[in-house]
Amino acid sequence: MTSTDIGPVDRLMVIDGKDVEAVSGKRYERTSPAHDVVVGTYPDATAEDVDRAATAARRAFDEGPWPRMSGTERSAVLLRVAELIRRDADDLARTEVLEMGKPISQARDEVEATAELWAYSATLARHAYGDAHNMLGADVLAVVINEPVGVVAMITPWNFPLLIISQKLPFALAVGCTAVVKPSELTSGTTVHLGRLLVEAGVPDGVVNVLTSAGGAGRPLTNHPSIDMISFTGSTEVGRIIARTAGEQLKKVELELGGKNPQLVCADADLKAAMDGVVFGVYFNAGECCNSGSRVLVERSIANDFQAAVVEHARQVPVGDPLDPSTKVGAITSQEQLDTIERYVGEGRAAGAQLLLGGERMATPAGRFYHPTIFAGVSPDMSIAREEIFGPVLSMLTFDSLDEAIRIANSTAFGLSAGIWTRNIDSALRAAREIRAGTIWVNRWMDGYPELPFGGFGESGLGRELGRNAIHEFTETKTIQLQIGPRRSSWLSGHLSQEH
Ligand code: ADP
């Protein structure tokens, strides 16, 4: 495959079941970060388009059949979507590669994982039942039911475009919500494609609307009065803005934000497995991953040998054209992201961390690529130890005791995920209990399952996606209290006549 085979695809938005241009008629372009070739063009939505989409979603919720359909019927539609995703897997994976820059093998895995999310959510559509209280007294029965929260705005980032929208949308649809979806302007292709698959699968008009925008649609969408809930994945910085909007307008909000995820490597670990997990953890998706294992804490007695082994292993990671099936690390998705990586590497150097590998952009004829980079001798106060870089940059720190390791692990504002490599069950359990993070991996790293809740503590977010937990994220709880038989006492006189 050469860059000359890559032509632009002109796509449309999906509003109220129709493929549409933006009201303004304007479009924006996406250039492949690996090939410097325009690969897609999109309508550039503004507030007017947001209003059309949000109004369609509102009507589909208030009047439409979707929220009132049985779970079985919704489940059948969600399963059809899973099948259609598998049918179009090659096309979806290729779009992901060309817009995001990730390797084709990983894009294919992402598409398959996405199909699994839709298939799993179909099971939840039939399990969103509530609770019953039969022991509150002889004359009362209460039932607690889940109702769809309403119209959900979903705003997603560029690192796993298809997977991340599918951590939200099928779950919201399963319980009867409707949605307005806005993917990142850098990677809109697979989300628009998904929007069309939903129409094909039989999702009624207006239930899911996909807006594409170069930047003008996000704010009007979160502010729109027809939106009941905002579900956002992206940077902590934008997450704060969205939480503020949700706070002012008292909209429900769910946020998946950044991480500076620590991996603890103890001297008693299977060090070969740990080394492989560390290299995978930081270079997977070029480190453009909220779950990136970007902070590795190594027990001092093995630190030199372990660091040397990690450097050796990292040197062998194939970086390059993401369309090549043997590539493991592709392009850096945007110039802005490359600038961020370069800034942090500069800060690491200036702070006195020891650069063991990489530390610079790769010289390539096209695209933007960054050498796998490793810093050792990092101290917990350096910015490369505390802040999310979102690139292929590993910071290695050392510890002398498990207490110290846990303290360092907990010393950032984030709390998305963490891991420990050890053969000692007590160390594993202590770390799992005491590290404040939404997911803890023991002797493994970064796998996920539709069944398991995902989300973070602290500045990593609010709420949890996936699993049966998602039912509660996308529903309101309603309590219904029922009188059984006659009302037995009067508020005023203490007794009621027994006429009934
Ligand atoms: P990333 O850099 O990972 O894409 P961002 O937080 O910058 O993370 O963006 C995530 C998503 O949020 C993108 O779809 C982006 O267009 C959108 N976005 C950015 N700013 C705002 C905002 N003020 N309101 C709503 N959405 C926004």
Side-chain angles (χ1 to χ4, degrees):
M1 179 67 55
T2 64
S3 57
T4 49
D5 302 322
I6 305 165
V9 183
D10 301 316
R11 298 178 204 264
L12 295 167
M13 306 190 287
V14 181
I15 297 182
D16 210 6
K18 315 282 176 311
D19 296 330
V20 295
E21 288 283 358
V23 173
S24 70
K26 288 200 185 126
R27 299 180 71 83
Y28 63 93
E29 288 181 345
R30 174 61 180 153
T31 299
S32 164
H35 310 96
D36 293 339
V37 171
V38 176
V39 288
T41 73
Y42 295 91
D44 188 4
T46 53
E48 253 182 291
D49 304 280
V50 169
D51 189 51
R52 278 161 75 196
T55 304
R58 181 83 259 160
R59 202 199 54 243
F61 185 78
D62 292 344
E63 299 166 23
W66 188 253
R68 296 177 195 93
M69 277 162 65
S70 70
T72 314
E73 288 170 299
R74 284 200 295 266
S75 164
V77 175
L78 298 173
L79 283 172
R80 268 203 298 281
V81 177
E83 279 170 26
L84 295 175
I85 289 170
R86 289 193 168 110
R87 183 196 69 190
D88 288 1
D90 286 346
D91 195 359
L92 288 163
R94 192 179 151 80
T95 304
E96 211 77 317
V97 170
L98 294 179
E99 293 193 338
M100 191 279 166
K102 70 177 62 195
I104 184 74
S105 58
Q106 290 158 30
R108 288 205 182 102
D109 292 347
E110 182 181 339
V111 174
E112 176 51 29
T114 295
E116 271 302 302
L117 288 167
W118 285 84
Y120 172 73
S121 70
T123 67
L124 287 190
R126 305 174 73 163
H127 278 82
Y129 47 75
D131 247 333
H133 292 256
N134 192 38
M135 298 209 177
L136 300 172
D139 60 348
V140 58
L141 174 67
V143 289
V144 180
I145 62 171
N146 296 314
E147 290 187 353
V149 71
V151 182
V152 186
M154 300 181 182
I155 298 178
T156 52
W158 45 257
N159 57 342
F160 293 93
L162 186 63
L163 188 80
I164 288 176
I165 187 57
S166 302
Q167 293 190 179
K168 304 174 186 298
L169 185 56
F171 295 87
L173 291 177
V175 297
C177 291
T178 65
V180 180
V181 175
K182 196 208 76 67
S184 164
E185 58 276 25
L186 301 178
T187 55
S188 311
T190 50
T191 307
V192 172
H193 188 140
L194 178 66
R196 302 195 66 192
L197 293 185
L198 297 180
V199 174
E200 186 181 344
V203 173
D205 291 353
V207 171
V208 178
N209 306 274
V210 182
L211 292 169
T212 55
S213 151
R219 220 174 262 269
L221 177 57
T222 54
N223 277 301
H224 199 283
S226 287
I227 300 297
D228 298 303
M229 171 176 175
I230 308 165
S231 175
F232 170 82
T233 299
S235 62
T236 295
E237 187 191 352
V238 176
R240 265 187 231 286
I241 298 173
I242 286 178
R244 220 172 284 137
T245 305
E248 276 160 12
Q249 302 180 7
L250 292 177
K251 287 173 174 162
K252 204 169 169 181
V253 67
E254 185 259 328
L255 304 170
E256 299 300 335
L257 309 175
K260 189 71 186 178
N261 313 297
Q263 295 200 61
L264 280 49
V265 180
C266 301
D268 61 19
D270 173 345
L271 294 175
K272 230 172 149 185
M275 193 243 324
D276 192 68
V278 162
V279 171
F280 158 66
V282 69
Y283 300 124
F284 177 65
N285 223 44
E288 293 170 331
C289 228
C290 54
N291 265 332
S292 172
S294 53
R295 208 163 44 118
V296 168
L297 282 50
V298 190
E299 194 161 345
R300 194 180 306 279
S301 59
I302 56 155
N304 285 340
D305 289 349
F306 188 76
Q307 283 165 3
V310 168
V311 169
E312 222 20 67
H313 205 54
R315 252 188 236 290
Q316 291 158 31
V317 173
V319 186
D321 185 350
L323 287 168
D324 179 341
S326 64
T327 294
K328 292 274 183 199
V329 174
I332 302 302
T333 307
S334 69
Q335 184 57 45
E336 192 186 351
Q337 194 51 45
L338 183 62
D339 294 345
T340 303
I341 294 166
E342 288 181 332
R343 175 168 59 81
Y344 275 114
V345 169
E347 285 179 19
R349 278 192 161 123
Q354 196 188 343
L355 185 65
L356 298 184
L357 186 70
E360 59 186 2
R361 185 179 175 168
M362 283 171 73
T364 50
R368 55 184 101 74
F369 297 83
Y370 202 84
H371 280 291
T373 295
I374 298 176
F375 279 110
V378 176
S379 61
D381 56 318
M382 293 180 189
S383 65
I384 59 167
R386 309 179 65 80
E387 294 170 26
E388 185 176 51
I389 301 175
F390 227 62
V393 181
L394 175 61
S395 298
M396 298 186 98
L397 296 82
T398 49
F399 66 87
D400 288 304
S401 67
L402 190 60
D403 278 341
E404 187 193 6
I406 292 171
R407 210 167 41 244
I408 297 171
N410 283 334
S411 68
T412 75
F414 295 114
L416 189 60
S417 59
I420 180 165
W421 298 86
T422 178
R423 288 193 174 99
N424 182 328
I425 184 75
D426 294 328
S427 305
L429 289 174
R430 267 201 59 208
R433 279 191 163 168
E434 293 180 22
I435 296 178
R436 292 178 55 77
T439 298
I440 308 282
W441 285 286
V442 177
N443 295 328
R444 55 196 300 129
W445 185 258
M446 216 176 356
D447 50 342
Y449 300 87
E451 291 84 350
L452 302 181
F454 172 65
F457 287 36
E459 293 189 6
S460 290
L462 289 175
R464 293 292 180 273
E465 295 183 335
L466 309 184
R468 62 191 159 87
N469 189 75
I471 293 172
H472 298 291
E473 288 292 340
F474 293 110
T475 55
E476 289 281 11
T477 300
K478 182 179 278 179
T479 300
I480 304 175
Q481 294 166 226
L482 302 147
Q483 172 72 21
I484 299 177
R487 186 168 165 82
R488 277 197 254 163
S489 62
S490 160
W491 184 55
L492 275 186
S493 62
H495 61 87
L496 283 177
S497 59
Q498 300 289 310
E499 285 168 5
H500 307 284

